[in-house]
Amino acid sequence: MPPPPTLTSLGLARAPRDHPLTYPGPWPAASALLQGDRLLPLDRLTHPGRTPVLAVGSNACPGQLRHKMDEFGIASPIPMTKARVAGLEVGVSAHVSRLGYISASPVDAPGAVRELFVIWLDDEQLRVVDASEGADSPEGNYARVPLPGPEFRVELENGHVLPGTYAYVNRHGVLHDGTGAPRRHLDQRTLITELLKKSAELRRLFGGTPEEFCARARADADLCERGTRLLREEKLVTASGLEHLYAPRRRGRNATPQVRSAGPPS
């Protein structure tokens, strides 16, 4: 029997952290078990004892997940299950990432249905992903919030509906589409091109092309903070509609204990 395909052979190895214009990175075609550099078949779609987290951006990219775990020497597998999600859309986070891109964030969207991935994290993996998103700090870019099942329906491929999941919601808000409604996340090159075209100050700070934008952002954390403030100053930011889900977290399996930073935040 031939060995399972590698991420490289499947075209899933490139991570947005290294190639920011590819954000959110390539996603698997089907549910799978991420084990190191390989994707293996899943023997089941639900994983009791693990925390289900809805991935709307690069957390659904196996190459990105592998990098996050490799930084901490974590080799345990991560189940990734495809799901149909009702009530959410993928919006644009209102911050410039130090990894050189403008990331995604979920937004409230009654009536919308999206195909996304649920990643099932054990306690150790959850701490790493929380830290990478800034969810372990009140000043971080994202908060991990519960998505109640009745309000946000997450249905797996076998028809099983999860009673609830978690998602990372941007604390800065999201960008709007010009009408005040949250804009949908486009491919990174198109998104950055449109933002640069509309803002002379953004061009002054980050250059006139997506390539310049990414290079300057990756080289200067202070510049990223200035760019994040500029998005709000130019009134490009609106609420995600999920702010009501923020709540103090009790210590326990789904808490977000402090760990050292898992590299630059998303």
Side-chain angles (χ1 to χ4, degrees):
M1 179 180 297
T6 65
L7 297 186
T8 299
S9 68
L10 292 170
L12 299 174
R14 296 186 80 193
R17 60 180 295 149
D18 299 322
H19 307 278
L21 286 179
T22 69
Y23 184 92
W27 293 5
S31 299
L33 183 70
L34 176 62
Q35 175 71 74
D37 190 42
R38 299 187 183 276
L39 281 185
L40 308 174
L42 276 175
D43 59 358
R44 63 186 188 276
L45 296 182
T46 56
H47 299 269
R50 288 174 172 259
T51 300
V53 178
L54 191 65
V56 302
S58 63
N59 283 330
C61 172
Q64 190 94 325
L65 274 180
R66 183 188 63 181
H67 272 290
K68 291 185 180 186
M69 297 304 141
D70 284 351
E71 287 181 352
F72 283 85
I74 296 174
S76 53
I78 299 177
M80 305 178 67
T81 56
K82 188 173 281 190
R84 284 174 56 83
V85 181
L88 288 179
E89 187 52 86
V90 180
V92 181
S93 297
H95 85 283
V96 179
S97 170
R98 290 177 358 208
L99 292 173
Y101 47 68
I102 299 178
S103 55
S105 184
V107 299
D108 187 34
V113 177
R114 286 292 303 262
E115 192 171 80
L116 298 169
F117 273 89
V118 175
I119 57 175
W120 299 78
L121 304 175
D122 65 25
D123 292 348
E124 187 178 44
Q125 294 164 347
L126 183 65
R127 286 194 292 269
V128 169
V129 178
D130 273 357
S132 76
E133 302 295 343
D136 60 342
S137 168
E139 289 76 42
N141 290 319
Y142 289 89
R144 177 164 54 86
V145 303
L147 297 177
E151 189 175 353
F152 304 100
R153 179 183 173 90
V154 180
E155 181 180 344
L156 303 181
E157 293 174 292
N158 61 359
H160 177 75
V161 178
L162 297 181
T165 59
Y166 285 84
Y168 293 102
V169 176
N170 199 281
R171 289 188 173 107
H172 302 282
V174 294
L175 301 186
H176 64 71
D177 62 4
T179 71
R183 69 180 294 168
R184 292 182 59 176
H185 201 286
L186 306 172
D187 70 274
Q188 196 68 191
R189 184 178 296 276
T190 300
L191 172 61
I192 294 175
T193 297
E194 289 185 1
L195 291 174
L196 290 174
K197 183 178 179 180
K198 293 178 180 178
S199 173
E201 182 63 10
L202 204 63
R203 293 194 300 275
R204 186 185 71 80
L205 293 176
F206 291 94
T209 69
E211 289 81 5
E212 288 180 290
F213 181 100
C214 295
R216 294 189 188 185
R218 288 171 67 85
D220 193 334
D222 290 338
L223 181 63
C224 291
E225 292 181 9
R226 177 70 187 97
T228 298
R229 292 196 301 270
L230 179 64
L231 295 175
R232 184 166 295 279
E233 290 167 4
E234 297 202 345
K235 303 188 186 309
L236 301 177
V237 180
T238 190
S240 69
L242 301 175
E243 288 77 11
H244 66 288
L245 298 176
Y246 290 12
R249 211 82 83 232
R250 291 195 300 269
R251 283 293 180 187
R253 187 174 63 83
N254 289 327
T256 55
Q258 297 285 333
V259 300
R260 69 178 180 86
S261 175
S266 297

